Amino acid sequence: MCEYCHSNPHKAGCPNEPKAKNVYICKHCKEGIQEGEEFARIGEDFYHLECLEALGIKEVLELAEIDVETAEVD
């Protein structure tokens, strides 16, 4: 039994709670994408959803290699 949270396994926030493991590294911020965290894979790269939201739609489309076109009358 833990001396801090008086539980086994540890309660969330307990100083003895095991640290989450990084599974991937975000291409944008270079921080770890931790076990249980949602992420996006674009090509061979991994991104936090928050990082993609911060980039904006045009940048995300470029990362995904999707062309943005301008409509023109023929």
Side-chain angles (χ1 to χ4, degrees):
M1 178 163 304
C2 175
E3 62 185 289
Y4 296 105
C5 69
H6 306 290
S7 184
N8 187 11
H10 299 283
K11 294 181 181 176
C14 174
N16 286 336
E17 180 182 26
K19 302 291 182 221
K21 295 179 182 175
N22 290 338
V23 180
Y24 303 110
I25 300 296
C26 176
K27 177 81 173 191
H28 179 72
C29 72
K30 311 294 189 241
E31 297 288 326
I33 298 171
Q34 297 181 347
E35 185 176 24
E37 187 175 13
E38 289 185 317
F39 68 95
R41 181 191 314 244
I42 299 176
E44 299 295 317
D45 300 319
F46 307 96
Y47 296 87
H48 291 110
L49 297 182
E50 296 82 10
C51 289
L52 292 176
E53 289 173 353
L55 285 174
I57 190 64
K58 279 190 163 184
E59 289 84 359
V60 172
L61 290 172
E62 285 179 15
L63 290 173
E65 298 180 359
I66 298 173
D67 293 331
V68 175
E69 301 179 36
T70 302
E72 296 180 8
V73 176
D74 289 334

